[in-house]
Amino acid sequence: NALITGNYLANHSAWSSFRGDGIFLHAGEDVRITNNTIVNSGDGIRVWSAQNLTVAGNTVADDAPGFGEGVLVVDSENVTIRNNNVFWQRIGIEVVRSADVLIAGNEVSSGPPWDDVGLRAIRSTNVTVTRNSFSYREGIRFLVMAGARVFHNAVAARELHAADDRGPENTWDNGYPSGGNFWDTHDLTDVYSGPAQDQPGADGIADHALVIHAAAGAIDRYPLAAPVVPHNTPPVIARR
């Protein structure tokens, strides 16, 4: 078992290439990384080969757009990434070759020129992404994913809301009437209701589906007309 909690970790180097990781853990079971504040690191939290991993309540931030990743999890199983604040990282959250992952309630944002994507998941299975807020150049990117479920997130993207090369193997909404995700530049007209959006009356679901990747068949059938999670402003990190 491992518990890493309540730490303040800051790197004051002006050059990202000289910054070490805030927290790096390799191989463990029943690991909890909670309520830490990590400032100006390379990668904020990096975990390889863990089982029963929880990363929750942490703040990872840079003074300006950085080159690292806020939370990186690789080759792990039974993972919960919940209620973290990640600001000014190149990639907000990344999950690679992992299984049975819940990503929920995280606030993830950055800005130009170095921000890449809010959430990237690669070759992972049974990943649930819900009630997160992503504000990045790209919102969510899936590569060779299977069994992912994405719903009730708020996504603000300057260039691309989402990408998924295995569309039919993943689900981008929670059905009707629960709905899918809020996409900031999607047509939010809400005049109709019903599973086919052909009945009179608004229902909180945008009347037109969002096509994520036409060739792969990835689609949010029921985009939300309003976000279910707020976009917060980055916290002010007190220096110590």
Side-chain angles (χ1 to χ4, degrees):
N1 296 358
L3 174 63
I4 303 172
T5 188
N7 298 286
Y8 180 92
L9 305 169
N11 188 319
H12 297 293
S13 170
W15 300 97
S16 294
S17 59
F18 297 128
R19 297 174 182 174
D21 296 330
I23 295 172
F24 175 46
L25 184 142
H26 185 275
E29 296 185 9
D30 300 321
V31 176
R32 293 180 57 82
I33 301 174
T34 62
N35 302 319
N36 301 284
T37 298
I38 301 164
V39 181
N40 293 346
S41 62
D43 292 335
I45 298 171
R46 180 153 58 112
V47 179
W48 288 62
S49 303
Q51 292 187 345
N52 303 324
L53 166 68
T54 297
V55 179
N58 303 283
T59 294
V60 180
D62 268 10
D63 291 330
F67 294 97
E69 305 187 26
V71 178
L72 171 62
V73 175
V74 183
D75 293 334
S76 297
E77 296 182 357
N78 298 321
V79 176
T80 297
I81 302 172
R82 182 190 291 274
N83 298 340
N84 300 283
N85 293 313
V86 179
F87 300 109
W88 296 113
Q89 304 295 304
R90 183 177 64 85
I91 297 174
I93 298 172
E94 182 164 29
V95 175
V96 182
R97 296 188 305 272
S98 296
D100 302 321
V101 180
L102 173 64
I103 301 171
N106 301 283
E107 179 77 17
V108 183
S109 67
S110 190
W114 307 117
D115 64 321
D116 188 359
V117 60
L119 168 64
R120 184 167 67 185
I122 303 173
R123 296 185 181 277
S124 298
T125 57
N126 298 327
V127 176
T128 298
V129 182
T130 186
R131 300 191 72 86
N132 303 281
S133 177
F134 300 106
S135 180
Y136 258 76
R137 183 173 65 84
E138 295 185 10
I140 302 171
R141 178 174 290 275
F142 284 171
L143 298 169
V144 197
M145 294 283 290
R149 300 175 65 238
V150 185
F151 60 94
H152 295 179
N153 302 282
V155 181
R158 299 195 311 280
E159 295 184 12
L160 183 68
H161 281 118
D164 179 6
D165 62 354
R166 297 289 180 90
E169 299 181 35
N170 304 303
T171 303
W172 287 85
D173 59 65
N174 199 37
Y176 187 86
S178 178
N181 305 277
F182 175 80
W183 312 94
D184 68 327
T185 60
H186 184 59
D187 181 354
L188 302 178
T189 302
D190 180 17
V191 177
Y192 296 102
S193 61
Q197 292 294 289
D198 57 358
Q199 302 298 312
D203 58 356
I205 304 294
D207 294 337
H208 303 287
L210 176 78
V211 177
I212 293 166
H213 194 303
I219 186 170
D220 183 344
R221 300 169 298 169
Y222 303 112
L224 300 178
V228 295
V229 293
H231 286 285
N232 299 324
T233 56
V236 176
I237 306 299
R239 294 295 179 194
R240 297 186 184 181

